[in-house]
Amino acid sequence: KVQITKEVFMNHLKEGYRRHVKEQREQAGHQMDEEEEDNNEVGKRLPNLEQAWAEFSAKLQQGDVKTDENGQLIYEVNAGDGPGISFWDRYKTHLLILLNLALLLCMQYAKKGERAAKMAKLKEAKDKQDKEK
């Protein structure tokens, strides 16, 4: 049976989040200048630790806790407990595609008159050339 204290759980959870943030920054190509920035960012992203502990301890009592291949506990915390994803982060791609389509339609409408004038000019030049022959 696994036994873990609340303090150890909190420390492991914070360290896991710290590693996760560091990995995300490295994947994005950012270099960490100071550890303070890392701690601030981790603090913003952490879920409600009390609620996470309550959920984890309930799973632990039921024996519902998973371990990895090394025998270490896997902490599953609901991502919805944190600040959440902003509207822009969630729909950024959709909005940019919509903006692109709107600009495409506007440009088509703006060029419509120019194309009609160009076609009329070409037709007039062709008619004039046909009359000369």
Side-chain angles (χ1 to χ4, degrees):
K1 182 166 174 148
V2 178
Q3 291 184 349
I4 188 169
T5 64
K6 183 177 180 179
E7 185 177 313
V8 172
F9 172 78
M10 299 284 188
N11 289 339
H12 283 247
L13 189 61
K14 287 177 185 176
E15 184 58 36
Y17 266 79
R18 200 170 280 117
R19 278 194 310 259
H20 179 70
V21 167
K22 185 177 180 181
E23 288 172 5
Q24 282 185 334
R25 281 183 150 191
E26 287 173 358
Q27 287 177 355
H30 298 289
Q31 298 222 354
M32 289 189 292
D33 294 334
E34 297 179 19
E35 195 172 306
E36 271 184 34
E37 289 180 24
D38 187 31
N39 289 337
N40 288 339
E41 191 168 337
V42 169
K44 292 177 189 172
R45 292 183 174 201
L46 276 176
N48 182 348
L49 294 178
E50 295 298 325
Q51 184 179 1
W53 169 249
E55 290 174 7
F56 180 77
S57 62
K59 284 183 181 180
L60 190 61
Q61 287 177 355
Q62 295 172 356
D64 216 11
V65 177
K66 299 175 186 173
T67 58
D68 63 3
E69 59 275 353
N70 298 331
Q72 295 180 338
L73 295 175
I74 297 175
Y75 303 107
E76 292 180 353
V77 179
N78 291 340
D81 295 342
I85 298 174
S86 69
F87 179 82
W88 177 251
D89 289 336
R90 180 171 289 157
Y91 296 110
K92 174 175 37 178
T93 305
H94 301 86
L95 293 172
L96 290 174
I97 289 172
L98 251 160
L99 177 66
N100 195 6
L101 286 173
L103 288 173
L104 176 73
L105 289 173
C106 289
M107 291 306 296
Q108 288 291 324
Y109 181 75
K111 296 284 184 175
K112 184 177 172 182
E114 289 179 23
R115 279 195 306 267
K118 188 175 182 180
M119 291 301 286
K121 195 174 186 182
L122 285 173
K123 186 175 181 185
E124 188 179 305
K126 186 178 179 185
D127 289 344
K128 186 177 179 183
Q129 195 178 37
D130 287 342
K131 284 184 183 180
E132 288 177 3
K133 287 185 180 182

